[in-house]
Protein backbone atom coordinates (compact mmCIF):
# COMPACT_ATOMS: atom_id res chain seq x y z
CA UNK A 1 0.00 0.00 0.00
CA UNK A 2 1.21 3.45 -0.85
CA UNK A 3 -0.06 5.49 2.10
CA UNK A 4 1.82 8.61 1.06
CA UNK A 5 0.62 8.83 -2.54
CA UNK A 6 -2.24 6.36 -2.93
CA UNK A 7 -3.71 5.53 -6.31
CA UNK A 8 -7.39 6.44 -6.35
CA UNK A 9 -10.17 4.40 -7.95
CA UNK A 10 -13.55 5.94 -8.77
CA UNK A 11 -16.60 3.76 -9.29
CA UNK A 12 -18.97 6.02 -11.25
CA UNK A 13 -16.09 8.07 -12.66
CA UNK A 14 -18.12 9.66 -15.47
CA UNK A 15 -20.88 11.07 -13.25
CA UNK A 16 -21.00 14.63 -11.99
CA UNK A 17 -19.23 13.88 -8.68
CA UNK A 18 -16.94 11.31 -10.30
CA UNK A 19 -15.59 13.95 -12.66
CA UNK A 20 -15.25 16.49 -9.87
CA UNK A 21 -13.41 13.99 -7.64
CA UNK A 22 -11.01 13.03 -10.45
CA UNK A 23 -10.05 16.66 -10.92
CA UNK A 24 -9.79 17.18 -7.17
CA UNK A 25 -7.45 14.21 -6.60
CA UNK A 26 -5.30 14.98 -9.64
CA UNK A 27 -5.08 18.75 -9.38
CA UNK A 28 -5.29 19.38 -5.60
CA UNK A 29 -3.64 16.23 -4.23
CA UNK A 30 -1.36 15.25 -7.14
CA UNK A 31 -2.63 11.66 -7.15
CA UNK A 32 -3.14 9.19 -9.95
CA UNK A 33 -6.80 8.36 -10.60
CA UNK A 34 -8.36 5.31 -12.25
CA UNK A 35 -12.05 4.91 -12.95
CA UNK A 36 -14.82 2.68 -14.10
CA UNK A 37 -18.26 3.66 -15.32
CA UNK A 38 -20.68 1.76 -17.56
CA UNK A 39 -21.24 4.99 -19.47
CA UNK A 40 -17.86 5.59 -21.04
CA UNK A 41 -15.01 4.23 -18.92
CA UNK A 42 -14.90 0.47 -19.18
CA UNK A 43 -11.25 -0.28 -20.01
CA UNK A 44 -10.60 -1.67 -16.53
CA UNK A 45 -12.79 -4.50 -15.29
CA UNK A 46 -14.04 -4.28 -11.69
CA UNK A 47 -11.28 -6.64 -10.60
CA UNK A 48 -8.60 -4.74 -12.58
CA UNK A 49 -9.73 -1.48 -10.98
CA UNK A 50 -9.47 -2.95 -7.47
CA UNK A 51 -6.01 -4.30 -8.30
CA UNK A 52 -4.85 -0.95 -9.67
CA UNK A 53 -5.70 1.22 -6.64
CA UNK A 54 -5.12 1.80 -2.93
CA UNK A 55 -8.26 3.84 -2.23
CA UNK A 56 -11.59 3.01 -3.87
CA UNK A 57 -14.47 5.52 -3.85
CA UNK A 58 -18.05 4.71 -4.83
CA UNK A 59 -19.83 7.63 -6.51
CA UNK A 60 -22.60 5.75 -8.32
CA UNK A 61 -26.37 6.48 -8.26
CA UNK A 62 -27.97 6.11 -4.82
CA UNK A 63 -30.35 3.29 -5.67
CA UNK A 64 -27.70 1.16 -7.40
CA UNK A 65 -24.87 1.77 -4.93
CA UNK A 66 -25.49 -1.06 -2.40
CA UNK A 67 -25.58 -3.66 -5.19
CA UNK A 68 -22.55 -2.08 -6.89
CA UNK A 69 -20.58 -2.29 -3.62
CA UNK A 70 -21.65 -5.92 -3.07
CA UNK A 71 -20.46 -6.67 -6.58
CA UNK A 72 -17.03 -5.14 -5.83
CA UNK A 73 -16.79 -7.03 -2.52
CA UNK A 74 -17.34 -10.27 -4.46
CA UNK A 75 -14.77 -9.37 -7.13
CA UNK A 76 -12.22 -8.21 -4.56
CA UNK A 77 -12.37 -11.51 -2.65
CA UNK A 78 -9.81 -10.40 -0.08
CA UNK A 79 -7.31 -8.42 -2.16
CA UNK A 80 -8.87 -5.27 -0.71
CA UNK A 81 -7.63 -6.18 2.80
CA UNK A 82 -5.25 -3.22 3.10
CA UNK A 83 -7.25 -0.75 1.03
CA UNK A 84 -9.45 2.15 2.07
CA UNK A 85 -13.00 2.10 0.66
CA UNK A 86 -15.23 5.15 0.79
CA UNK A 87 -18.51 6.28 -0.75
CA UNK A 88 -20.24 9.64 -1.14
CA UNK A 89 -23.84 8.39 -1.31
CA UNK A 90 -26.57 10.66 0.08
CA UNK A 91 -27.76 7.72 2.23
CA UNK A 92 -25.29 6.16 4.64
CA UNK A 93 -26.58 3.10 6.57
CA UNK A 94 -26.92 0.63 3.69
CA UNK A 95 -23.83 1.61 1.62
CA UNK A 96 -21.58 1.69 4.70
CA UNK A 97 -22.86 -1.74 5.80
CA UNK A 98 -22.19 -3.04 2.27
CA UNK A 99 -18.60 -1.72 2.38
CA UNK A 100 -18.10 -3.26 5.84
CA UNK A 101 -18.74 -6.68 4.26
CA UNK A 102 -15.34 -6.22 2.58
CA UNK A 103 -12.08 -6.46 4.52
CA UNK A 104 -11.07 -2.91 3.60
CA UNK A 105 -11.00 0.05 5.96
CA UNK A 106 -14.25 1.95 5.48
CA UNK A 107 -15.42 5.56 5.64
CA UNK A 108 -18.78 6.89 4.44
CA UNK A 109 -18.85 10.49 3.25
CA UNK A 110 -21.65 12.84 2.25
CA UNK A 111 -20.80 16.26 0.83
CA UNK A 112 -23.80 18.50 1.48
CA UNK A 113 -23.94 20.09 -1.96
CA UNK A 114 -23.91 19.15 -5.60
CA UNK A 115 -20.42 18.87 -7.11
CA UNK A 116 -19.29 22.50 -6.89
CA UNK A 117 -17.77 24.56 -9.67
CA UNK A 118 -14.97 25.45 -7.27
CA UNK A 119 -11.96 23.15 -6.87
CA UNK A 120 -12.64 22.34 -3.20
CA UNK A 121 -15.66 21.98 -0.91
CA UNK A 122 -14.79 25.14 1.00
CA UNK A 123 -17.77 26.54 2.88
CA UNK A 124 -19.83 23.38 2.49
CA UNK A 125 -20.57 20.77 5.10
CA UNK A 126 -19.46 17.18 4.62
CA UNK A 127 -20.69 14.36 6.83
CA UNK A 128 -18.00 11.82 7.74
CA UNK A 129 -18.96 8.34 8.98
CA UNK A 130 -15.75 6.63 10.09
CA UNK A 131 -16.78 3.00 10.22
CA UNK A 132 -13.43 1.16 10.22
CA UNK A 133 -10.34 3.33 10.01
CA UNK A 134 -6.85 2.38 11.16
CA UNK A 135 -3.64 2.60 9.11
CA UNK A 136 -5.26 4.97 6.62
CA UNK A 137 -6.06 7.57 9.28
CA UNK A 138 -3.10 9.93 8.63
CA UNK A 139 -3.74 10.07 4.87
CA UNK A 140 -7.48 10.34 5.47
CA UNK A 141 -6.93 13.40 7.69
CA UNK A 142 -4.82 14.99 4.93
CA UNK A 143 -7.57 14.25 2.43
CA UNK A 144 -10.25 15.87 4.61
CA UNK A 145 -8.04 18.94 5.08
CA UNK A 146 -7.49 19.16 1.30
CA UNK A 147 -11.26 19.15 0.64
CA UNK A 148 -11.55 22.29 2.85
CA UNK A 149 -15.06 21.08 3.75
CA UNK A 150 -16.66 21.80 7.12
CA UNK A 151 -16.58 18.18 8.29
CA UNK A 152 -19.14 16.89 10.76
CA UNK A 153 -18.70 13.39 12.19
CA UNK A 154 -21.69 11.10 12.69
CA UNK A 155 -22.57 7.45 12.61
CA UNK A 156 -24.48 6.24 9.58
CA UNK A 157 -27.82 5.91 11.35
CA UNK A 158 -27.61 9.40 12.84
CA UNK A 159 -26.77 10.69 9.35
CA UNK A 160 -29.83 9.09 7.77
CA UNK A 161 -32.13 10.32 10.54
CA UNK A 162 -30.88 13.87 10.19
CA UNK A 163 -31.01 13.75 6.38
CA UNK A 164 -34.71 12.88 6.53
CA UNK A 165 -35.09 16.47 7.81
CA UNK A 166 -32.25 18.31 6.06
CA UNK A 167 -32.95 16.75 2.66
CA UNK A 168 -36.11 14.61 2.72
CA UNK A 169 -38.29 17.36 4.22
CA UNK A 170 -36.78 20.25 2.24
CA UNK A 171 -37.00 18.38 -1.05
CA UNK A 172 -40.54 17.10 -0.37
CA UNK A 173 -41.95 20.51 0.50
CA UNK A 174 -40.35 22.15 -2.53
CA UNK A 175 -41.39 19.38 -4.93
CA UNK A 176 -44.92 19.92 -3.58
CA UNK A 177 -44.56 23.68 -4.11
CA UNK A 178 -43.51 23.00 -7.70
CA UNK A 179 -46.63 20.89 -8.24
CA UNK A 180 -48.93 23.50 -6.63
CA UNK A 181 -47.43 26.28 -8.73
CA UNK A 182 -47.88 24.17 -11.86
CA UNK A 183 -51.56 23.73 -11.00
CA UNK A 184 -52.49 27.17 -9.66
CA UNK A 185 -50.06 29.69 -11.19
CA UNK A 186 -51.51 29.65 -14.76
CA UNK A 187 -54.76 31.20 -13.49
CA UNK A 188 -52.86 34.22 -12.08
CA UNK A 189 -50.53 35.02 -14.93
CA UNK A 190 -48.05 32.15 -14.65
CA UNK A 191 -44.64 32.33 -12.99
CA UNK A 192 -43.67 35.44 -14.95
CA UNK A 193 -46.88 37.15 -13.87
CA UNK A 194 -46.21 36.30 -10.22
CA UNK A 195 -42.57 37.38 -10.24
CA UNK A 196 -43.10 41.16 -9.72
CA UNK A 197 -45.21 40.30 -6.63
CA UNK A 198 -42.42 38.28 -4.97
CA UNK A 199 -41.70 38.45 -1.27
CA UNK A 200 -38.24 37.50 -0.04
CA UNK A 201 -39.70 34.21 1.20
CA UNK A 202 -41.23 33.41 -2.18
CA UNK A 203 -37.99 34.27 -3.94
CA UNK A 204 -35.94 32.03 -1.65
CA UNK A 205 -38.38 29.13 -1.88
CA UNK A 206 -38.71 29.54 -5.61
CA UNK A 207 -34.91 29.36 -5.99
CA UNK A 208 -34.83 26.08 -4.01
CA UNK A 209 -37.70 24.63 -6.07
CA UNK A 210 -36.06 25.60 -9.34
CA UNK A 211 -32.68 24.23 -8.19
CA UNK A 212 -34.31 20.87 -7.46
CA UNK A 213 -36.20 20.81 -10.74
CA UNK A 214 -33.04 21.76 -12.64
CA UNK A 215 -30.97 18.97 -11.07
CA UNK A 216 -30.61 15.22 -11.57
CA UNK A 217 -34.11 13.80 -10.80
CA UNK A 218 -32.72 10.40 -9.70
CA UNK A 219 -31.12 12.03 -6.65
CA UNK A 220 -34.38 13.53 -5.41
CA UNK A 221 -36.34 10.38 -6.19
CA UNK A 222 -33.83 8.10 -4.45
CA UNK A 223 -33.49 10.28 -1.34
CA UNK A 224 -37.27 10.00 -0.77
CA UNK A 225 -37.39 6.27 -1.45
CA UNK A 226 -34.10 4.92 -0.06
CA UNK A 227 -33.84 6.75 3.28
CA UNK A 228 -36.05 4.75 5.68
CA UNK A 229 -36.54 7.78 7.93
CA UNK A 230 -38.20 9.80 5.17
CA UNK A 231 -41.57 8.07 5.25
CA UNK A 232 -42.27 8.79 8.96
CA UNK A 233 -41.19 12.40 8.35
CA UNK A 234 -43.62 12.65 5.40
CA UNK A 235 -46.40 11.35 7.63
CA UNK A 236 -45.80 14.13 10.15
CA UNK A 237 -45.66 16.70 7.35
CA UNK A 238 -48.96 15.43 5.93
CA UNK A 239 -50.54 15.51 9.41
CA UNK A 240 -49.64 19.16 9.89
CA UNK A 241 -50.61 20.32 6.39
CA UNK A 242 -53.84 18.29 6.61
CA UNK A 243 -54.67 19.77 10.03
CA UNK A 244 -53.99 23.29 8.77
CA UNK A 245 -56.32 22.67 5.85
CA UNK A 246 -59.06 21.50 8.25
CA UNK A 247 -58.60 24.52 10.53
CA UNK A 248 -58.78 26.99 7.64
CA UNK A 249 -61.81 25.19 6.20
CA UNK A 250 -63.68 25.37 9.51
CA UNK A 251 -62.92 29.10 9.74
CA UNK A 252 -63.85 29.45 13.44
CA UNK A 253 -62.08 31.68 15.91
CA UNK A 254 -61.08 28.58 17.89
CA UNK A 255 -59.49 27.20 14.70
CA UNK A 256 -57.48 30.40 14.30
CA UNK A 257 -56.37 30.05 17.90
CA UNK A 258 -55.35 26.44 17.27
CA UNK A 259 -53.31 27.40 14.23
CA UNK A 260 -51.48 29.93 16.35
CA UNK A 261 -50.83 27.47 19.16
CA UNK A 262 -49.86 24.43 17.10
CA UNK A 263 -48.00 25.94 14.19
CA UNK A 264 -46.57 29.11 15.64
CA UNK A 265 -46.40 29.40 19.45
CA UNK A 266 -45.16 25.89 20.26
CA UNK A 267 -42.53 25.94 17.54
CA UNK A 268 -41.44 29.43 18.55
CA UNK A 269 -40.76 28.19 22.08
CA UNK A 270 -39.00 25.10 20.70
CA UNK A 271 -36.67 27.11 18.44
CA UNK A 272 -35.78 29.54 21.22
CA UNK A 273 -35.33 33.29 21.26
CA UNK A 274 -31.74 33.49 20.13
CA UNK A 275 -32.15 31.14 17.14
CA UNK A 276 -35.31 33.02 16.14
CA UNK A 277 -33.48 36.33 16.20
CA UNK A 278 -30.54 34.90 14.21
CA UNK A 279 -32.80 33.27 11.63
CA UNK A 280 -34.89 36.36 11.25
CA UNK A 281 -31.75 38.48 10.73
CA UNK A 282 -30.36 35.94 8.22
CA UNK A 283 -33.63 36.27 6.28
CA UNK A 284 -33.29 40.07 6.25
CA UNK A 285 -29.69 39.88 5.07
CA UNK A 286 -30.66 37.49 2.29
CA UNK A 287 -33.39 39.97 1.37
CA UNK A 288 -30.81 42.77 1.01
CA UNK A 289 -28.55 40.45 -0.97
CA UNK A 290 -31.37 39.50 -3.34
CA UNK A 291 -32.26 43.18 -3.76
CA UNK A 292 -28.65 43.98 -4.69
CA UNK A 293 -28.51 41.06 -7.12
CA UNK A 294 -31.78 42.23 -8.71
CA UNK A 295 -30.36 45.71 -9.26
CA UNK A 296 -30.52 46.16 -13.05
CA UNK A 297 -27.48 48.50 -13.24
CA UNK A 298 -24.27 46.63 -12.50
CA UNK A 299 -20.94 45.56 -13.83
CA UNK A 300 -19.17 42.27 -13.12
CA UNK A 301 -15.40 42.14 -13.17
CA UNK A 302 -13.09 39.13 -13.05
CA UNK A 303 -9.87 39.89 -11.17
CA UNK A 304 -7.14 37.64 -12.56
CA UNK A 305 -4.60 38.51 -9.89
CA UNK A 306 -5.49 36.91 -6.57
CA UNK A 307 -3.28 39.17 -4.46
CA UNK A 308 -3.63 41.93 -1.86
CA UNK A 309 -4.48 45.28 -3.40
CA UNK A 310 -6.23 44.09 -6.58
CA UNK A 311 -9.67 44.99 -5.25
CA UNK A 312 -8.37 48.43 -4.21
CA UNK A 313 -7.03 49.00 -7.75
CA UNK A 314 -10.43 48.08 -9.13
CA UNK A 315 -12.27 50.41 -6.77
CA UNK A 316 -9.92 53.29 -7.47
CA UNK A 317 -10.74 53.05 -11.20
CA UNK A 318 -14.30 54.03 -10.22
CA UNK A 319 -13.28 56.52 -7.56
CA UNK A 320 -10.96 58.45 -9.93
CA UNK A 321 -13.84 58.94 -12.37
CA UNK A 322 -16.51 59.79 -9.80
CA UNK A 323 -18.55 56.64 -10.43
CA UNK A 324 -20.62 55.90 -7.36
CA UNK A 325 -21.24 52.27 -6.41
CA UNK A 326 -24.39 51.14 -4.59
CA UNK A 327 -23.13 47.70 -3.63
CA UNK A 328 -20.25 45.34 -4.09
CA UNK A 329 -20.36 41.56 -3.80
CA UNK A 330 -17.90 38.85 -4.53
CA UNK A 331 -19.90 36.33 -6.50
CA UNK A 332 -19.51 33.60 -9.09
CA UNK A 333 -20.54 33.36 -12.70
CA UNK A 334 -22.77 30.42 -13.72
CA UNK A 335 -19.52 28.75 -14.81
CA UNK A 336 -18.02 29.16 -11.32
CA UNK A 337 -15.58 32.00 -12.08
CA UNK A 338 -14.94 34.33 -9.13
CA UNK A 339 -16.30 37.80 -9.89
CA UNK A 340 -16.85 41.13 -8.23
CA UNK A 341 -20.30 42.41 -8.97
CA UNK A 342 -20.82 46.11 -8.46
CA UNK A 343 -24.24 47.73 -8.36
CA UNK A 344 -24.25 51.19 -9.95
CA UNK A 345 -26.24 54.11 -8.63
CA UNK A 346 -29.19 55.37 -10.66
CA UNK A 347 -27.42 58.58 -11.65
CA UNK A 348 -24.35 56.72 -12.88
CA UNK A 349 -22.73 58.67 -15.70
CA UNK A 350 -22.35 56.41 -18.77
CA UNK A 351 -19.22 58.22 -20.05
CA UNK A 352 -17.45 57.99 -16.69
CA UNK A 353 -18.40 54.33 -16.40
CA UNK A 354 -17.19 53.61 -19.92
CA UNK A 355 -13.90 55.31 -19.09
CA UNK A 356 -13.54 53.27 -15.88
CA UNK A 357 -14.22 50.05 -17.76
CA UNK A 358 -11.61 50.89 -20.39
CA UNK A 359 -9.07 51.66 -17.66
CA UNK A 360 -9.80 48.37 -15.88
CA UNK A 361 -9.02 46.46 -19.09
CA UNK A 362 -6.16 48.68 -20.28
CA UNK A 363 -4.29 48.73 -16.97
CA UNK A 364 -4.64 44.96 -16.56
CA UNK A 365 -6.69 45.38 -13.35
CA UNK A 366 -9.35 42.94 -14.46
CA UNK A 367 -11.68 41.74 -17.18
CA UNK A 368 -15.15 43.26 -17.46
CA UNK A 369 -17.39 40.24 -17.87
CA UNK A 370 -20.74 41.97 -17.96
CA UNK A 371 -22.19 45.47 -17.85
CA UNK A 372 -25.92 45.97 -17.61
CA UNK A 373 -28.41 48.78 -17.25
CA UNK A 374 -26.14 51.60 -18.48
CA UNK A 375 -25.45 52.17 -22.16
CA UNK A 376 -21.72 51.63 -22.56
CA UNK A 377 -22.03 50.25 -26.07
CA UNK A 378 -18.94 52.01 -27.36
CA UNK A 379 -16.73 50.01 -25.01
CA UNK A 380 -15.10 47.04 -26.64
CA UNK A 381 -13.35 45.12 -23.86
N1 LIG B 1 -25.31 15.51 -7.11
C1 LIG B 1 -25.43 15.81 -5.84
O1 LIG B 1 -26.08 16.79 -5.48
C2 LIG B 1 -24.76 14.93 -4.81
C3 LIG B 1 -24.35 15.51 -3.60
C4 LIG B 1 -23.76 14.69 -2.63
C5 LIG B 1 -23.62 13.32 -2.87
N2 LIG B 1 -24.03 12.81 -4.05
C6 LIG B 1 -23.91 11.37 -4.27
O2 LIG B 1 -22.96 11.14 -5.28
C7 LIG B 1 -23.32 9.96 -5.99
C8 LIG B 1 -23.24 10.24 -7.46
O3 LIG B 1 -24.04 11.33 -7.76
P1 LIG B 1 -23.86 12.14 -9.11
O4 LIG B 1 -24.58 13.42 -8.94
O5 LIG B 1 -22.44 12.18 -9.52
O6 LIG B 1 -24.69 11.19 -10.08
P2 LIG B 1 -24.50 10.93 -11.63
O7 LIG B 1 -25.73 10.26 -12.09
O8 LIG B 1 -24.06 12.18 -12.31
O9 LIG B 1 -23.30 9.90 -11.70
C9 LIG B 1 -23.40 8.56 -11.37
C10 LIG B 1 -22.49 7.78 -12.30
O10 LIG B 1 -22.49 6.43 -11.87
C11 LIG B 1 -22.46 5.63 -13.02
N3 LIG B 1 -22.89 4.26 -12.72
C12 LIG B 1 -24.12 3.71 -12.79
N4 LIG B 1 -24.06 2.42 -12.47
C13 LIG B 1 -22.76 2.12 -12.21
C14 LIG B 1 -22.04 0.95 -11.88
N5 LIG B 1 -22.68 -0.20 -11.74
N6 LIG B 1 -20.72 1.02 -11.72
C15 LIG B 1 -20.07 2.19 -11.85
N7 LIG B 1 -20.68 3.33 -12.19
C16 LIG B 1 -22.01 3.30 -12.36
C17 LIG B 1 -23.36 6.34 -14.02
O11 LIG B 1 -23.10 5.92 -15.35
C18 LIG B 1 -22.97 7.79 -13.76
O12 LIG B 1 -21.93 8.23 -14.62
C19 LIG B 1 -24.71 9.56 -5.51
O13 LIG B 1 -24.61 8.47 -4.64
C20 LIG B 1 -25.21 10.77 -4.77
O14 LIG B 1 -26.04 10.45 -3.68
C21 LIG B 1 -24.58 13.58 -5.05
O1 LIG C 1 -27.98 21.38 -5.41
C1 LIG C 1 -27.24 21.42 -4.43
O2 LIG C 1 -26.23 22.12 -4.38
C2 LIG C 1 -27.55 20.56 -3.26
O3 LIG C 1 -27.32 20.96 -2.16
C3 LIG C 1 -28.04 19.23 -3.57
C4 LIG C 1 -28.34 18.29 -2.40
C5 LIG C 1 -29.47 18.86 -1.51
O4 LIG C 1 -30.38 19.48 -2.03
O5 LIG C 1 -29.49 18.56 -0.33
C6 LIG C 1 -28.84 17.05 -2.99
C7 LIG C 1 -28.30 15.84 -2.78
C8 LIG C 1 -27.01 15.68 -2.12
O6 LIG C 1 -27.03 14.57 -1.27
C9 LIG C 1 -26.55 16.86 -1.40
C10 LIG C 1 -27.12 18.07 -1.58
Amino acid sequence: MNYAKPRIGLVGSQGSYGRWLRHFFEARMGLEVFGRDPSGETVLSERALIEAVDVLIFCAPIRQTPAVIQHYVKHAAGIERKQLWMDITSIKVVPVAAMLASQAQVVGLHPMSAAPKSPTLRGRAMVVCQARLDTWRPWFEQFLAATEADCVHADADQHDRIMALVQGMVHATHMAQGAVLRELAPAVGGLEGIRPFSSVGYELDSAVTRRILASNPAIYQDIQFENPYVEPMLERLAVHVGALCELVRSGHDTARQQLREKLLDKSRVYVGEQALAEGSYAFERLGYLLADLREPRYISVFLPLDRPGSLRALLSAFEQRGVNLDSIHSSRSAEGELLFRMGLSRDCDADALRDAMLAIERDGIGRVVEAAGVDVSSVNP
Side-chain angles (χ1 to χ4, degrees):
M1 281 303 107
N2 188 344
Y3 291 109
K5 270 202 160 306
R7 291 157 303 168
I8 308 292
L10 299 175
V11 179
S13 52
Q14 297 296 301
S16 91
Y17 248 108
R19 279 178 280 124
W20 187 88
L21 284 169
R22 180 187 288 275
H23 184 260
F24 168 80
F25 283 115
E26 289 176 347
R28 302 293 292 199
M29 297 194 76
L31 300 176
E32 195 178 358
V33 177
F34 300 82
R36 181 173 166 80
D37 193 308
S39 54
E41 194 168 13
T42 50
V43 173
L44 294 176
S45 66
E46 287 91 340
R47 173 78 185 191
L49 178 66
I50 302 165
E51 283 171 354
V53 305
D54 304 298
V55 173
L56 189 64
I57 305 177
F58 295 92
C59 39
I62 301 172
R63 191 177 181 192
Q64 280 89 322
T65 291
V68 171
I69 295 173
Q70 283 161 15
H71 193 63
Y72 274 76
V73 173
K74 208 173 85 202
H75 279 286
I79 61 165
E80 80 287 11
R81 202 165 51 84
K82 294 200 171 136
Q83 296 182 344
L84 171 61
W85 283 17
M86 301 196 277
D87 79 309
I88 58 155
T89 323
S90 308
I91 312 288
K92 290 273 65 85
V93 169
V94 178
V96 167
M99 290 191 290
L100 283 172
S102 75
Q103 296 179 47
Q105 293 174 45
V106 169
V107 178
L109 299 171
H110 183 194
M112 293 310 305
S113 84
K117 284 162 183 157
S118 49
T120 71
L121 295 169
R122 188 191 297 185
R124 290 144 210 268
M126 180 162 73
V127 187
V128 180
C129 305
Q130 286 181 21
R132 187 164 65 210
L133 188 61
D134 176 16
T135 48
W136 278 103
R137 190 176 292 278
W139 178 82
F140 178 70
E141 297 295 342
Q142 272 179 39
F143 157 65
L144 288 191
T147 66
E148 299 184 319
D150 297 330
C151 291
V152 54
H153 293 259
D155 69 41
D157 189 65
Q158 186 189 12
H159 166 277
D160 288 2
R161 280 174 181 270
I162 290 175
M163 284 309 138
L165 300 174
V166 169
Q167 298 194 303
M169 182 175 74
V170 170
H171 299 167
T173 46
H174 286 88
M175 288 189 289
Q177 286 193 30
V180 172
L181 284 170
R182 186 187 76 228
E183 289 168 2
L184 303 186
V188 291
L191 299 179
E192 281 309 308
I194 294 176
R195 200 213 289 256
F197 297 78
S198 293
S199 62
V200 173
Y202 177 83
E203 212 170 330
L204 292 173
D205 269 21
S206 157
V208 177
T209 304
R210 284 179 285 162
R211 172 72 171 188
I212 290 172
L213 298 180
S215 303
N216 177 358
I219 300 243
Y220 297 91
Q221 196 177 25
D222 289 352
I223 286 174
Q224 297 293 315
F225 280 79
E226 304 301 322
N227 183 336
Y229 297 108
V230 161
E231 196 216 287
M233 175 282 299
L234 289 175
E235 270 176 24
R236 297 313 305 154
L237 200 56
V239 164
H240 289 296
V241 175
L244 174 59
C245 186
E246 284 307 313
L247 293 176
V248 170
R249 189 174 289 137
S250 92
H252 295 307
D253 279 354
T254 50
R256 287 171 192 260
Q257 192 51 35
Q258 280 181 30
L259 181 155
R260 194 180 278 210
E261 276 169 24
K262 289 186 180 155
L263 293 178
L264 293 172
D265 294 348
K266 282 187 178 172
S267 305
R268 184 182 300 124
V269 171
Y270 174 69
V271 173
E273 249 175 62
Q274 184 168 344
L276 288 175
E278 283 167 7
S280 189
Y281 178 45
F283 179 94
E284 283 173 17
R285 283 194 297 169
L286 287 169
Y288 292 126
L289 178 64
L290 289 172
D292 284 349
L293 296 181
R294 256 198 323 269
E295 170 59 58
R297 286 165 294 275
Y298 67 88
I299 80 166
S300 292
V301 182
F302 169 66
L303 291 186
L305 300 175
D306 184 8
R307 66 170 190 214
S310 47
L311 178 58
R312 194 156 69 92
L314 174 63
L315 294 180
S316 65
F318 296 103
E319 183 189 349
Q320 283 161 14
R321 290 158 186 88
V323 176
N324 202 18
L325 303 178
D326 268 1
S327 65
I328 174 163
H329 294 281
S330 82
S331 182
R332 285 190 186 267
S333 69
E335 290 72 39
E337 198 176 48
L338 188 62
L339 302 173
F340 282 94
R341 185 186 194 282
M342 279 145 302
L344 303 162
S345 61
R346 275 162 210 269
D347 54 6
C348 174
D349 178 69
D351 289 335
L353 178 63
R354 189 179 303 123
D355 200 30
M357 288 167 63
L358 285 170
I360 289 165
E361 299 274 344
R362 188 190 56 229
D363 300 345
I365 297 169
R367 177 161 52 81
V368 178
V369 177
E370 208 184 347
V374 181
D375 182 13
V376 284
S377 46
S378 67
V379 178
N380 187 15

